[in-house]
Amino acid sequence: MDNSNEITHDFSPFFKVYKDGRIERSLVLDDLPAGRDPETGVLSKDVVISPDSGVKARIFIPEIVGSDQKLPLLVHYHGGGFCVGSAFHILTKNVLAPIVSQGNVIAISIDYRLAPEHLLPIAYNDSWDGLEWIAGHSNGLGPEPWLNNHVDFGKVFLTGESAGANIAHYLAVQVGANGWAGLKLAGVIIVHPFFGYKKVDEMHKYLCPTSSGGDDDPRLNPAVDPNLSKMGCEKALVCVAEKDFLRDRGEAYYKTLATSGWPGKVEFYETKGEDHCFNAFKQCGETDALNKKVVDFVTVE
């Protein structure tokens, strides 16, 4: 009897795993080509981070940037539970293009490899590799002219939504704990973060076999991370949405960071009446309040 169609793991709406090893994804979006965004005028191009791993990234730059302008840089990691999403599809464009346009900043979204084909911590490793690749431009001699010519490497911010916010936080801690010479990490912007649940997260256990899926994992619960107070930036912005099922974990993260002994400044911002990652699914005019908060955080000294 052929039982290859038997489902061994059902993590809907993300993916299902069959007995023969097949993975069926439920959430698949087509990528958008790079170029000029007609809504905001933002320009984008794709770059290769690592020929060996195949990791790429998309850079977003404001149309009005001049040849002598040095702008803040947002290093972005997309959401999607570590198993869906892309730096190249419309949801990432919806998040970043309005901020790039309104704030006159540059953004680069790192397209880390997805689980379960690439089990965690590969997503974290790829994201770190992307940060190192970016830092290689701080002397003006990197492979990408947009970064060489237009980035103020004294004003680099890590950001992400949901799982991407988790990655941004984790890398900021690693920068502080391990030292960093390539660039100055000015801050982190943590949007609707995924930091697990009080109960064991079975999908995360599957995606990361070295994790318990529970609160003893510092990647899921920063409160148990002995390096939290070393986070390598001067300020943090934690954004939550009132109707988000992860809202309370986001607020708990804010309170934990504020009392951790980390010497930086942390702000808390809540969007009333909205749900998880609403900014990725709405038109830019409907996300102006959140975008303004992020722009002010990045551009106001």
Side-chain angles (χ1 to χ4, degrees):
M1 179 178 177
D2 182 8
N3 58 1
S4 61
N5 286 325
E6 178 184 341
I7 296 173
T8 59
H9 297 85
D10 188 345
F11 295 120
S12 298
F14 293 101
F15 64 92
K16 298 176 183 177
V17 182
Y18 290 87
K19 193 168 185 176
D20 64 0
R22 285 181 299 119
I23 296 168
E24 179 181 275
R25 296 181 176 275
S26 306
L27 301 173
V28 179
L29 290 174
D30 292 333
D31 289 342
L32 293 175
R36 182 182 181 277
D37 175 36
E39 295 179 64
T40 62
V42 167
L43 305 174
S44 63
K45 71 158 68 169
D46 297 338
V47 294
V48 175
I49 297 295
S50 170
D52 293 335
S53 67
V55 172
K56 300 178 181 179
R58 177 163 289 182
I59 306 174
F60 299 82
I61 193 168
E63 189 175 34
I64 60 172
V65 68
S67 59
D68 59 346
Q69 286 183 286
K70 298 289 187 178
L71 306 179
L73 176 68
L74 298 180
V75 182
H76 172 262
Y77 304 100
H78 66 79
F82 304 101
C83 59
V84 298
S86 165
F88 310 120
H89 62 46
I90 191 170
L91 300 184
T92 298
K93 189 272 291 187
N94 288 349
V95 169
L96 293 178
I99 295 171
V100 169
S101 174
Q102 295 167 24
N104 200 33
V105 300
I106 297 172
I108 179 170
S109 185
I110 308 299
D111 197 52
Y112 55 86
R113 288 173 288 177
L114 299 177
E117 293 89 345
H118 304 282
L119 293 170
L120 295 172
I122 285 178
Y124 295 98
N125 298 338
D126 288 347
S127 298
W128 180 264
D129 290 346
L131 193 58
E132 288 192 319
W133 182 86
I134 292 165
H137 294 75
S138 60
N139 60 2
L141 300 175
E144 175 44 54
W146 278 8
L147 300 185
N148 290 331
N149 298 333
H150 299 303
V151 169
D152 180 349
F153 284 95
K155 296 180 180 178
V156 177
F157 297 81
L158 304 186
T159 187
E161 62 283 346
S162 196
N166 178 296
I167 292 173
H169 157 79
Y170 181 77
L171 295 192
V173 172
Q174 300 313 301
V175 166
N178 297 302
W180 189 266
L183 51 80
K184 179 179 174 57
L185 188 58
V188 291
I189 304 162
I190 306 297
V191 181
H192 310 163
F194 168 75
F195 285 118
Y197 313 95
K198 289 185 177 180
K199 62 181 182 179
V200 171
D201 183 342
E202 295 296 336
M203 187 176 88
H204 193 82
K205 281 180 64 177
Y206 182 82
L207 298 179
C208 185
T210 59
S211 173
S212 68
D215 268 354
D216 61 338
D217 182 343
R219 288 190 177 115
L220 295 180
N221 180 20
V224 301
D225 188 344
N227 290 320
L228 179 61
S229 64
K230 300 176 183 178
M231 192 163 75
C233 57
E234 300 171 350
K235 59 181 183 176
L237 173 63
V238 181
C239 302
V240 301
E242 182 184 24
K243 296 182 178 180
D244 186 356
F245 70 109
L246 295 175
R247 181 215 173 276
D248 292 346
R249 292 290 278 193
E251 184 176 21
Y253 166 74
Y254 158 72
K255 292 178 179 178
T256 295
L257 187 57
T259 58
S260 67
W262 172 62
K265 178 183 178 181
V266 58
E267 298 180 47
F268 182 78
Y269 179 78
E270 180 172 13
T271 305
K272 299 294 186 180
E274 294 291 358
D275 213 330
H276 188 64
C277 293
F278 73 92
N279 54 321
F281 295 93
K282 293 194 173 186
Q283 298 297 315
C284 60
E286 300 176 281
T287 61
D288 279 350
L290 175 59
N291 292 341
K292 184 178 185 304
K293 184 66 179 179
V294 172
V295 167
D296 288 347
F297 181 80
V298 171
T299 59
V300 176
E301 297 292 342

